[in-house]
Amino acid sequence: MTTFDDRDRGFENQYARDEDMAFRVTARRNKLVGQWAAALMKLTPEETDAYAKSVVQADFEEAGDEDVMRKLLGDLTAAGVATDETQVRQALAQQMIEARRQLLKAE
């Protein structure tokens, strides 16, 4: 039984590591896309940091990316930036790739 128990613990540990990495990649992506949006809105460096953190926080409202999409689209529109949902989704996809690259490089 110990072999099966060890194997089971190994799977549980791998699952926990995978979930942790997915969380960190999404948080990094949200920070990066927040910085992207801040640049479009021409925010100062201090405002950019605060805004990027607020985008990360927005992701805790509900599962999935729709809460982040609403925040980004609403803020960009309110700031008078000409954008649409497609452009924001493309930015999310690009920043997801960059976030993975950064985190894998850091390990």
Side-chain angles (χ1 to χ4, degrees):
M1 281 284 256
T2 59
T3 302
F4 289 115
D5 292 338
D6 291 343
R7 185 174 171 189
D8 191 39
R9 273 192 295 278
F11 285 132
E12 288 174 5
N13 290 337
Q14 182 63 42
Y15 178 79
R17 282 191 301 275
D18 291 347
E19 288 297 307
D20 178 61
M21 179 58 91
F23 175 80
R24 291 187 307 139
V25 167
T26 301
R28 175 73 57 98
R29 179 214 55 191
N30 291 340
K31 179 181 177 184
L32 293 171
V33 82
Q35 292 170 344
W36 167 82
L40 292 177
M41 293 186 284
K42 298 179 179 25
L43 299 181
T44 67
E46 295 80 21
E47 292 170 328
T48 296
D49 288 341
Y51 184 74
K53 288 176 186 174
S54 74
V55 174
V56 172
Q57 289 294 321
D59 196 26
F60 298 125
E61 292 175 14
E62 63 186 51
D65 293 336
E66 294 310 307
D67 44 2
V68 174
M69 284 295 300
R70 275 193 307 277
K71 174 159 185 55
L72 291 167
L73 279 173
D75 293 346
L76 289 167
T77 302
V81 176
T83 191
D84 61 11
E85 184 176 338
T86 302
Q87 184 180 8
V88 174
R89 288 197 187 277
Q90 287 174 344
L92 281 170
Q94 291 169 347
Q95 297 307 332
M96 180 66 87
I97 293 166
E98 178 61 19
R100 275 195 191 107
R101 187 192 67 74
Q102 287 180 6
L103 288 172
L104 290 175
K105 184 175 146 180
E107 287 188 344

